[in-house]
Amino acid sequence: MSSSPRIWMRVYDWLDDRAGLRPLVRRALDEPITGGARWAYVFGSALVFLFALQALTGILLALYYVPSADHAHASVAYIQKAVSGGWLIRGLHHYSAHAMVILILAHISQTFLFGAYKGRRELVWMAGVILLLLILGFAFTGYLLPWDQAAYFGTRVGTSVAGEAPLIGPLQQRIMLGGSEISSLTLSRFFLTHAFALPLATTAMIAGHIYLFRRAGAAGPFDSRGADEKTLFYPNQVLKDSIAVLILFLALVALSWMEPAALGPQADPTSDYLARPPWFFLPLFQLLKYFPGRLSLIPTLVLPALLLGALFLLPFVDRRSERHPLKRRVATTSFAIIFVVAGLFIGLSKYEDMSAPDVRAKMEQQAKEADDFLRLPFQPQEVGRSIAVSATDGAHPSASGSKPLQIFFANCANCHGADATGGAAGISLINLARNRRHTADSLAEWIEGHRREPSPDSMPRYRQLDPSHRRELAEWLIGLERPIEVDSSARGEILDGDPPSAYTESCAICHGDRGEGNIGPPLVGVTSKPGRAPDDLLRMMDDSRVYGLKDPMPESFPQISESDRRRIIEWIEKLRRK
């Protein structure tokens, strides 16, 4: 046993002789710390540890992950449920990502309160702000990768916000998505950015940050107490950093064990999932509620740009030598207000969700679905079953003129489309029972009066249907696995006069020459839907964001005169089926 240390020392001596390790180690450990070792200085080392943990767990996850819309979710489920220790690897990766956001904010706060950005440390501070942006970039690009409901719809909202930026918005959104919709191209781009581009940029920035910090030297305490005391980084500060890192790691392991990283059912783009962003984006989400329409640029673009710009340029704005936080009242108060307001907005967003009965019920239902999926054993993916069944494949329970089909056309087709693949205000009904684990009983209850969040797109409660009709419709939906193919005589022809010229010029390209639908939803019977009265449609032409549409209309409608808009609405009101 006594020979082991000698062997390692000989190996170390051999490496030192060729690589000069001792001078590098001594230079790293002999950094003088003004004011002595402190617990307030552990944040930097903890962040470096978290980044290394993210890199290690990310590599292990990438051994199994498939960045494809067809297989991404199944590969994550396999890691979580079937791989030995996969739950721990994914849990550490998940929770350390949140911990990085918390610690970078704590590190920036400590640096700000200590006034450590003053005295030739401008570049150190600026590099820290860039690292904050990179960490938020990690969080945003990694959110989509599990490809579950929360990931898909959360990213859909985020990329829609990015598309609202003036001039570059549409191009920026198209580059992010790889097209006009979230697809495998989007997933591969997010994965490439998350696993390659951002790690390289972050590694370079951390190296630059440490170099600049060492060159400028530690700022030390903000007052004169202990300013003359100087100790070396090793051993006192190394000990404090090591204890902090150990506690942090044990906390991450405990979280991964007690509350496994969330994973819900596979993303279903046709569903009505109610998305909420991660906690650190909730303040902006809450602000969006107070700035409707085009004013949404204020919380999504203007305020973040002003805040980050102020942070980035802070050393050049606050050039006084004073570092005591209580003697920098304006700066300290402003900084505190930002954090307090952000915390209040997070709490307010949570409170509003929980205080609205329908929203709360929807959120609880989604959480239960995610929890139920996570508890289920892993089921190997059937090749090809993740791809939607085409119109020529699969079971087809409907027959032209059948009673359930008549009930469907009379009550459902205007919203869900004549072929049941989705329409003006309704989701696709194809494979609805399988995707959402519905039974005939649960579907019948859903049709009678399901609980969802109140919105203009909420489905009417069809209590007016006879219970036997609801049951027939529910049992028919259970077996609906491909789009309906029926003769036009089964659903009736559209009754209307010639559309106004303004409609033909501005609307027909999306909604069809006769309102039958094309890129946009069909307009037949649309004014009979909740929140789609003529006045609602007029307001929608001014700003479709007012109604929270998932795919808002273009902003070209203000070019149509008020009289032409009313002619279009009068014509739409007459659209009915025989």
Side-chain angles (χ1 to χ4, degrees):
M1 294 292 292
S2 59
S3 61
S4 295
R6 295 178 183 176
I7 293 173
W8 285 115
M9 285 304 300
R10 290 176 62 185
V11 171
Y12 184 76
D13 290 339
W14 185 88
L15 289 171
D16 175 53
D17 186 51
R18 288 154 179 78
L21 292 183
R22 280 191 173 86
L24 291 175
V25 172
R26 294 265 47 99
R27 187 173 180 181
L29 297 179
D30 291 346
E31 175 200 2
I33 301 177
T34 305
R38 300 191 178 201
W39 291 106
Y41 299 156
V42 303
F43 297 119
S45 297
L47 279 166
V48 172
F49 163 74
L50 285 177
F51 179 67
L53 183 62
Q54 285 271 285
L56 176 61
T57 54
I59 290 170
L60 295 175
L61 291 172
L63 294 175
Y64 300 95
Y65 183 72
V66 181
S68 157
D70 291 338
H71 307 296
H73 183 266
S75 64
V76 175
Y78 179 72
I79 294 169
Q80 184 77 30
K81 301 178 181 184
V83 174
S84 297
W87 61 272
L88 178 60
I89 296 169
R90 185 166 177 263
L92 290 173
H93 195 78
H94 173 80
Y95 286 113
S96 61
H98 288 269
M100 282 193 79
V101 177
I102 295 172
L103 285 184
I104 189 71
L105 292 175
H107 191 36
I108 287 177
S109 300
Q110 178 261 321
T111 305
F112 174 85
L113 292 174
F114 277 45
Y117 55 86
K118 298 170 181 275
R120 299 184 300 110
R121 295 181 181 84
E122 299 93 342
L123 292 178
V124 181
W125 172 266
M126 293 163 73
V129 175
I130 294 173
L131 281 170
L132 170 63
L133 290 175
L134 290 172
I135 289 171
L136 292 177
F138 271 114
F140 179 68
T141 54
Y143 195 65
L144 177 65
L145 302 187
W147 200 253
D148 60 0
Q149 292 280 70
Y152 180 90
F153 284 97
T155 304
R156 190 172 181 176
V157 173
T159 52
S160 295
V161 169
E164 294 299 316
L167 300 178
I168 64 169
L171 177 61
Q172 177 177 259
Q173 184 182 28
R174 192 169 186 82
I175 292 173
M176 292 170 70
L177 297 179
S180 57
E181 295 291 338
I182 297 178
S183 64
S184 286
L185 278 175
T186 314
L187 194 58
S188 64
R189 292 185 181 202
F190 274 54
F191 177 72
L192 176 67
T193 305
H194 186 79
F196 295 97
L198 286 175
L200 288 174
T202 304
T203 301
M205 191 54 62
I206 288 175
H209 184 67
I210 294 174
Y211 167 78
L212 292 169
F213 173 77
R214 285 298 183 90
R215 181 171 175 81
F222 54 76
D223 53 20
S224 58
R225 289 178 300 174
D228 295 333
E229 178 188 353
K230 286 194 176 184
T231 59
L232 298 182
F233 182 67
Y234 177 83
N236 292 342
Q237 190 61 47
V238 168
L239 178 62
K240 285 181 167 59
D241 288 355
S242 300
I243 293 172
V245 165
L246 177 61
I247 293 172
L248 179 60
F249 179 71
L250 293 176
L252 293 175
V253 172
L255 277 172
S256 303
W257 179 63
M258 293 186 296
E259 192 70 28
L263 182 65
Q266 182 172 345
D268 176 10
T270 64
S271 73
D272 60 343
Y273 189 86
L274 184 58
R276 289 294 181 266
W279 61 269
F280 39 85
F281 289 133
L282 273 179
L284 294 181
F285 172 78
Q286 184 65 21
L287 275 172
L288 271 172
K289 300 177 183 178
Y290 311 130
F291 294 91
R294 292 171 186 159
L295 292 177
S296 64
L297 288 176
I298 294 176
T300 59
L301 183 65
V302 177
L303 287 180
L306 289 175
L307 180 60
L308 288 170
L311 274 178
F312 195 74
L313 298 175
L314 178 64
F316 304 99
V317 176
D318 182 11
R319 302 187 64 84
R320 295 187 307 151
S321 59
E322 179 60 59
R323 292 175 52 204
H324 199 294
L326 297 181
K327 295 178 181 179
R328 296 155 44 222
R329 293 193 181 96
V330 174
T332 303
T333 302
S334 301
F335 199 79
I337 287 173
I338 291 171
F339 270 86
V340 170
V341 170
L344 287 175
F345 278 149
I346 292 173
L348 185 59
S349 178
K350 297 285 187 182
Y351 172 77
E352 288 182 357
D353 282 348
M354 293 299 101
S355 60
D358 286 346
V359 176
R360 180 175 182 173
K362 180 68 174 175
M363 300 290 286
E364 289 175 350
Q365 175 198 351
Q366 291 175 176
K368 184 178 183 303
E369 289 175 354
D371 187 58
D372 289 346
F373 176 83
L374 202 56
R375 293 175 187 274
L376 290 173
F378 175 72
Q379 296 179 352
Q381 187 179 21
E382 296 180 43
V383 177
R385 294 305 291 171
S386 61
I387 302 173
V389 179
S390 69
T392 57
D393 299 325
H396 198 296
S398 63
S400 180
S402 67
K403 189 172 182 180
L405 199 59
Q406 292 173 0
I407 298 171
F408 171 81
F409 282 126
N411 297 279
C412 316
N414 279 341
C415 286
H416 295 282
D419 58 358
T421 59
I427 62 171
S428 170
L429 301 177
I430 312 302
N431 290 319
L432 178 72
R434 185 177 67 188
N435 291 341
R436 303 198 182 186
R437 297 181 176 82
H438 273 303
T439 63
D441 290 334
S442 65
L443 276 173
E445 183 181 352
W446 177 283
I447 295 167
E448 178 185 8
H450 62 284
R451 296 186 299 177
R452 346 180 356 173
E453 73 276 15
S455 76
D457 292 322
S458 290
M459 176 178 152
R461 289 161 168 79
Y462 280 98
R463 296 191 181 96
Q464 71 271 23
L465 276 176
D466 183 90
S468 62
H469 288 174
R470 284 198 299 267
R471 184 72 187 188
E472 284 184 77
L473 185 60
E475 290 178 348
W476 175 77
L477 286 172
I478 288 291
L480 189 62
E481 297 183 2
R482 68 183 177 100
I484 301 169
E485 295 175 6
V486 293
D487 296 333
S488 61
S489 59
R491 60 178 182 265
E493 298 296 332
I494 299 173
L495 293 176
D496 60 73
D498 291 333
S501 59
Y503 174 89
T504 303
E505 294 170 1
S506 303
C507 313
I509 189 171
C510 286
H511 295 285
D513 293 337
R514 297 282 176 174
E516 68 276 12
N518 185 15
I519 302 171
L523 301 176
V524 182
V526 70
T527 54
S528 64
K529 298 180 177 65
R532 296 294 186 270
D535 288 342
D536 295 314
L537 294 181
L538 282 171
R539 281 194 289 271
M540 205 175 294
M541 286 184 177
D542 286 327
D543 184 3
S544 58
R545 281 185 169 276
V546 170
Y547 288 90
L549 296 181
K550 294 176 182 176
D551 298 301
M553 292 188 291
E555 296 183 358
S556 59
F557 288 98
Q559 300 173 6
I560 304 175
S561 67
E562 183 70 19
S563 59
D564 279 340
R565 290 187 218 179
R566 293 197 175 275
R567 289 192 192 97
I568 292 172
I569 299 303
E570 289 172 2
W571 178 76
I572 290 174
E573 279 191 278
K574 298 175 183 177
L575 293 178
R576 294 288 186 273
R577 298 189 186 277
K578 288 180 180 177

